[in-house]
Amino acid sequence: RHHPMPQQEPDPTKKTLLVLGTGWGAISLLRRLDTSEYNTIVVSPTNFFLFTPLLPSVTTGSLESRSIITPIKYFLRFKPFGIKFVEAESTQIDPASKTVEILDSGEVHGAITKTRLPYDYLVIGVGAESQTFGIKGVREFGLFLKEIRDARKIRTRLMDCIETAAFPGQPDDEIRRLLHMVVVGGGPTGVEYAGELHDFLRGEVDKWYPEIAPHLKITLIEALPHVLPMFSREMIEYTEKSFADMNIDLLANTAVQEVRAKELVVKDTKSGATREVPYGMLVWATGNTMRPVIKDLQARFADKGQSNRRGLVVDEYLRVAGMPDVWALGDCTATAFAPTAQVAAQQGTYLARQLNDLARTNRTGNDILATCPPFDYKHRATLAYIGDERGVSDVSLPFWSNMVSFAGYQSYLFWRSAYLSNLYTLRNRALVAFDWTKEKLFGRDISRE
Ligand code: FAD
Ligand code: NAD
């Protein structure tokens, strides 16, 4: 418990490895990196790792936010050689001078808020931000589900809508609007959030606010004909049928065109007809887009093969095209793989091996030896919780070419046990197990913090 952080003075004989980010890719790399080989510096605006698969459960208080985050220093304290962590945002990457501009983006500022860090080797793992497609009003009125603070905001806004609907004399149509919870995007983020919201409304709001509960409504809006495009057909059908059972209204073939303070403008993608949909709370989950620091970098390397709208172009060794000694991994890259934690984590493991190997052989730069194999992704499973103690799972088995799919209560138990065991620390596993037990015994907290 009282393991101190190892200290390390920079060693001038070693190369400086700068890692941007403390997400799935970066943490997986740092856990396996031989830190005795480098002067390692990690820069990230969050001084913790967030276990994103359980983030939807934080929006309704099934899990507390601190149960699914781990301070970066907890990972690093067992390393025999120290790593320097700097809480800051990287704002400009300059491969020509081999420096990165960083900015203290916290609320408290000292005398210095901006500086440049030099590197010999750079790993970019800054992830992505929420996509809005530039649709008017999304940033102003919608809520995202990407960061831990987003989940807290959703929890507060939900209770605000409910308490406002319960205000004495509130007209019926206003109660209906305030209690209309809209989720945009039928990918796994939107589906899992809709499921968690269903559980909270049925489990808590029905009980504590019986006078307004009959007006509660959840609508999931998806531009394509079906939800969860990355799942097997059976799992998609099961999810859509389950949503019908749970009274979650699925508006497929419907694209949101504009968001206003109290209503959305939606378009039927088949007929082209538009209409207004009043709402109380809007959660926007339509995928990823590049962070500004990546957009800026790309723009300066457009003539060197960097013009993919999904992210940085890397080769099969994760080297960034056109930039010597720079690697990138995870959601900030454009590869053949989906932007998932599974991919980012495997890329982190792969890159750690490559960097350890690079330091031990007398190579300079990121020239790859013929013996270094390219990155090879092994897909294990795609899992989602869809509410009402039901899950959907598509699992790839070793030595078996077909995928095994199963849905329902067993799949929900599998989802829980898989994520519980995937949490990186014993402390997080204990906290999550405790939160689940607490929820079973006492229900979820309905306070608006
Ligand atoms: P991230 O994990 O997003 O990490 C990026 C890091 O960079 C963060 O530490 C961030 O603070 C930091 N950063 C941001 N800007 C800067 C900057 N300018 N400079 C330096 N650092 C910066 N995938 C799955 O495989 N299974 C799931 O069940 C699953 N569930 C998900 C549920 C939700 C709600 C969400 C949003 C995503 C889910 N994903 C899941 C996708 C998965 O979270 C991402 O693919 C994964 O986080 C990508 O890892 P990454 O390291 O590229 O980025
Ligand atoms: P996504 O890109 O998977 O899905 C976004 C959905 O929004 C799409 O189906 C798209 O058709 C729809 N959409 C886009 N614009 C729209 C509009 N204007 N109106 C209505 N619908 C619109 O996004 P996500 O769910 O945020 O997932 C992002 C990544 O994270 C994916 O790679 C996903 O696999 C991963 N993830 C995985 C899990 C899991 O494995 N359980 C959970 C969450 C996220």
Side-chain angles (χ1 to χ4, degrees), residues 129-145:
E129 58 180 42
S130 300
Q131 174 66 278
T132 66
F133 299 104
I135 294 171
K136 198 172 158 204
V138 177
R139 287 205 180 277
E140 199 179 348
F141 306 114
L143 297 170
F144 299 114
L145 184 51

Side-chain angles (χ1 to χ4, degrees), residues 45-56:
T46 52
N47 74 348
F48 56 81
F49 164 72
L50 166 64
F51 190 85
T52 46
L54 291 176
L55 187 60

Side-chain angles (χ1 to χ4, degrees), residues 300-334:
R300 284 180 285 119
F301 283 76
D303 58 344
K304 296 212 169 68
Q306 291 295 345
S307 53
N308 191 309
R309 281 178 30 207
R310 287 188 297 122
L312 289 173
V313 175
V314 292
D315 66 9
E316 66 263 61
Y317 301 96
L318 307 183
R319 295 176 298 182
V320 182
M323 300 176 208
D325 300 340
V326 183
W327 291 262
L329 76 182
D331 285 7
C332 67
T333 62

Side-chain angles (χ1 to χ4, degrees), residues 35-326:
T35 51
S36 63
E37 300 283 7
Y38 293 100
N39 295 315
T40 313
I41 305 174
V42 180
V43 173
S44 175
T46 52
N47 74 348
F48 56 81
F49 164 72
L50 166 64
F51 190 85
T52 46
L54 291 176
L55 187 60
S57 305
V58 177
T59 59
T60 55
S62 284
L63 292 177
E64 294 301 333
S65 53
R66 287 188 187 272
S67 304
I68 63 160
I69 63 179
T70 315
I72 170 81
K73 298 215 172 189
Y74 285 18
F75 289 110
L76 305 183
R77 70 194 158 148
F78 296 113
K79 291 278 181 188
F81 291 86
I83 288 181
K84 186 168 173 47
F85 173 74
V86 182
E87 196 191 68
E89 196 180 317
S90 57
T91 42
Q92 205 218 18
I93 298 167
D94 184 14
S97 63
K98 288 194 145 186
T99 59
V100 174
E101 180 189 78
I102 63 164
L103 174 76
D104 178 354
S105 52
E107 282 171 22
V108 177
H109 290 150
I112 298 174
T113 54
K114 201 190 249 192
T115 187
R116 264 188 184 276
L117 297 179
Y119 67 80
D120 294 305
Y121 296 152
L122 175 68
V123 175
I124 309 174
V126 298
E129 58 180 42
S130 300
Q131 174 66 278
T132 66
F133 299 104
I135 294 171
K136 198 172 158 204
V138 177
R139 287 205 180 277
E140 199 179 348
F141 306 114
L143 297 170
F144 299 114
L145 184 51
K146 189 108 189 113
E147 319 278 352
I148 200 79
R149 60 175 178 271
D150 296 335
R152 286 201 214 108
K153 269 193 214 162
I154 292 176
R155 192 172 172 182
T156 307
R157 182 77 64 90
L158 174 62
M159 287 318 300
D160 203 357
C161 283
I162 291 166
E163 291 295 357
T164 309
F167 193 84
Q170 198 68 268
D172 274 0
D173 55 349
E174 192 62 350
I175 293 177
R176 272 194 295 278
R177 178 187 72 79
L178 287 162
L179 297 183
H180 186 203
M181 310 301 170
V182 175
V183 183
V184 180
T189 304
V191 165
E192 290 192 318
Y193 175 63
E196 292 279 354
L197 179 61
H198 162 271
D199 291 358
F200 181 76
L201 299 184
R202 299 286 78 92
E204 310 302 335
V205 184
D206 280 3
K207 187 167 65 190
W208 298 108
Y209 299 84
E211 68 286 7
I212 55 168
H215 298 294
L216 284 163
K217 189 175 158 195
I218 305 173
T219 300
L220 178 68
I221 302 182
E222 168 54 55
L224 299 173
H226 297 284
V227 296
L228 296 181
M230 65 293 295
F231 277 82
S232 60
R233 195 175 179 77
E234 281 169 271
M235 297 299 103
I236 293 172
E237 280 168 10
Y238 180 84
T239 304
E240 293 181 352
K241 189 190 154 293
S242 297
F243 274 11
D245 297 344
M246 292 185 241
N247 282 324
I248 296 176
D249 224 350
L250 174 60
L251 285 188
N253 295 309
T254 306
V256 174
Q257 288 201 311
E258 187 186 338
V259 179
R260 300 185 190 139
K262 296 182 178 182
E263 69 264 327
L264 309 168
V265 179
V266 302
K267 179 180 173 183
D268 185 314
T269 56
K270 282 184 168 164
S271 68
T274 60
R275 65 186 171 103
E276 289 177 1
V277 177
Y279 72 92
M281 182 179 74
L282 169 70
V283 171
W284 190 269
T286 62
N288 294 341
T289 189
M290 284 184 282
R291 290 198 188 274
V293 66
I294 301 296
K295 274 188 198 156
D296 167 75
L297 179 63
Q298 242 198 9
R300 284 180 285 119
F301 283 76
D303 58 344
K304 296 212 169 68
Q306 291 295 345
S307 53
N308 191 309
R309 281 178 30 207
R310 287 188 297 122
L312 289 173
V313 175
V314 292
D315 66 9
E316 66 263 61
Y317 301 96
L318 307 183
R319 295 176 298 182
V320 182
M323 300 176 208
D325 300 340
V326 183

